[in-house]
Amino acid sequence: MTLLSDESTKSQSYELLYLAVEKAIRYVDSVRQRRVSPASSALAALSRFHEPFPSGSCNPTEVLKQLDALGSPATAATTGGRYFGFVNGGMVPAALAASWMAAAWNQNAALRVMSPVAAELEDVVLQWICEALGLPADCEGGLVTCATMANFTALVAARHALLERAGWNVNEDGMFGAPPIDVVVGAEVHASIRKALSMAGFGRKRVTVVDADSQGRMRSDRLPPLTERTIVCIQAGNVNTGAFDPAEEICAVAKEQRAWIHVDGAFGLWARVSPKYAPLARGFENADSWATDAHKWPNAGYDCGVVLVRNGDALRASLGVAAAYLEPGARREPMYHTPEASRRARGAELWATLKSLGRAGLCELVERSCAHAQRFAIGLRDAGFEVLNDVVINQVLVSFGSPEVTREVIQRVQEEGTCWCGGTNWQGKTAMRVSVSSWATTAADVENSLEAIVRIARDS
Ligand SMILES: *Cc1c(COP(=O)(O)O)cnc(C)c1O
């Protein structure tokens, strides 16, 4: 690639960047109006990406034009306000703009010396998140790709701490022959915890599963005996119902026994910013580690997972690669807090998101999504359909009758394109899940989506 050595290459490069901005703005402009799932013609056109690896170079302008022409129409319109799939958040304007800025920087956030600004912004956002979520101010943490990685990172820190207590250095001696660690999860544990447990050497099955109630909350009266070699994984926000495990009760028992409590709070933990919803998420501050996503409820854009650990030594001991971090007075080095070394500066979007929203904006975003979820629940019930969960935050589960009918409605809703909702299985019942997680969703989006869902369901 040519450097910006002469005027003509320079103006070509500018042209390319302006073109990218123009295309991106056109996308942002149109995404609210367009169908949420891509049209079948757009999906079919994706085959045009497939060609033998080009033997020669291609003008970057042409590259970008192809990316836009084939790519933009084949996106799921997750930023448009009518996407209610999984728990996918949108992206607040400040996050999008900051991601453009940060892309221009192309910083490696591994070490402070590689990117002073990336390291500084991580310091700031980690502290802000502790404040926003009401977690201990002296937690240490890292920014990772997603909550799965955040869960993994926290479990690795827990593993280190508990085995160290038993006189075992897991970094040096590994998991073979190590003193056993008991892992306790609820029956409705998120699949990512099981995956993280397997990656961390605990095994998906070698866990004690505690019964859950009708909303998916772990039953604290069914906890097995805990010891100082137990990790208990609790949940703030069940991915189907939005329900919270009874953290106060569980943490009280666990603390007495010196067990390690880990919280999977991928989206639900953010309810703690709202005075109205915080009482649901009481007690989670008493845990030892937390995983959450800024790309879900805070709408910081992908990819942005956050891990926080009360005992920073355990985190650094498991993930530090050298003794350099032990230097007294040395400042936090990002890569001693995450599995990754080289990483993009995702703190830039996260900082921009939190700075632009502030506590009031974040609280409003959470409360507005919950209000939209309530409206969905009322609208669906009024139309005669069964809402399967207590709608406590932003998640609604609805059944349209038999599993076959419900599945058909989900498929037709997705194909029709007004909105997008996914399917799930809730305690043996087939359901459609409506997850309101985007800042962009308006009351009109909710009404239009409800109208489409009810129309399709009545016709199925
Ligand atoms: C979404 C989610 C996860 C996984 O998040 P990723 O960012 O996709 O890895 C884990 N736990 C819960 C409760 C979730 O909702």
Side-chain angles (χ1 to χ4, degrees), residues 87 133 135 147 151 188-190 193 216-218 233-247 250 261-272 277-278 280-285 287 289-293 296-297 392-395:
V87 194
L133 301 181
L135 303 180
N151 281 327
E188 295 289 347
V189 62
H190 192 271
I193 287 278
R217 294 175 290 231
M218 187 191 281
C233 299
I234 59 173
Q235 190 160 252
N238 176 282
V239 76
N240 284 308
T241 63
F244 295 81
D245 285 345
I250 297 171
I261 299 269
H262 170 66
V263 178
D264 176 6
F267 64 102
L269 215 43
W270 297 94
R272 288 170 59 92
Y277 292 98
L280 291 170
R282 234 191 329 249
F284 286 96
E285 68 279 7
S289 57
W290 302 263
T292 193
D293 269 328
K296 285 183 172 166
W297 234 345
V392 287
I393 48 171
N394 62 335
Q395 305 288 110

Side-chain angles (χ1 to χ4, degrees), residues 368-382:
R368 185 158 43 93
S369 337
C370 294
H372 287 329
Q374 285 297 340
R375 173 66 195 123
F376 267 114
I378 290 168
L380 291 164
R381 271 199 201 104
D382 285 353

Side-chain angles (χ1 to χ4, degrees), residues 309-396:
V309 180
R310 184 187 290 274
N311 173 357
D313 290 341
L315 184 63
R316 276 178 282 106
S318 8
L319 298 165
V321 291
Y325 64 83
L326 294 172
E327 228 174 83
R331 301 192 59 194
R332 176 183 179 278
E333 289 295 354
M335 67 177 271
Y336 300 140
H337 301 75
T338 58
E340 306 93 334
S342 294
R343 286 144 66 244
R344 69 185 192 87
R346 53 175 69 88
E349 293 99 321
L350 184 47
W351 173 82
T353 300
L354 297 175
K355 172 87 176 164
S356 78
L357 290 173
R359 183 182 287 278
L362 203 50
C363 173
E364 196 267 341
L365 169 52
V366 164
E367 293 184 357
R368 185 158 43 93
S369 337
C370 294
H372 287 329
Q374 285 297 340
R375 173 66 195 123
F376 267 114
I378 290 168
L380 291 164
R381 271 199 201 104
D382 285 353
F385 303 113
E386 188 191 1
V387 172
L388 301 177
N389 64 316
D390 295 343
V391 179
V392 287
I393 48 171
N394 62 335
Q395 305 288 110
V396 184

Side-chain angles (χ1 to χ4, degrees), residues 1 51 54-64 66:
M1 204 62 261
E51 56 175 336
S55 53
S57 315
C58 178
N59 183 328
T61 302
E62 294 311 312
V63 173
L64 190 83
Q66 188 179 1

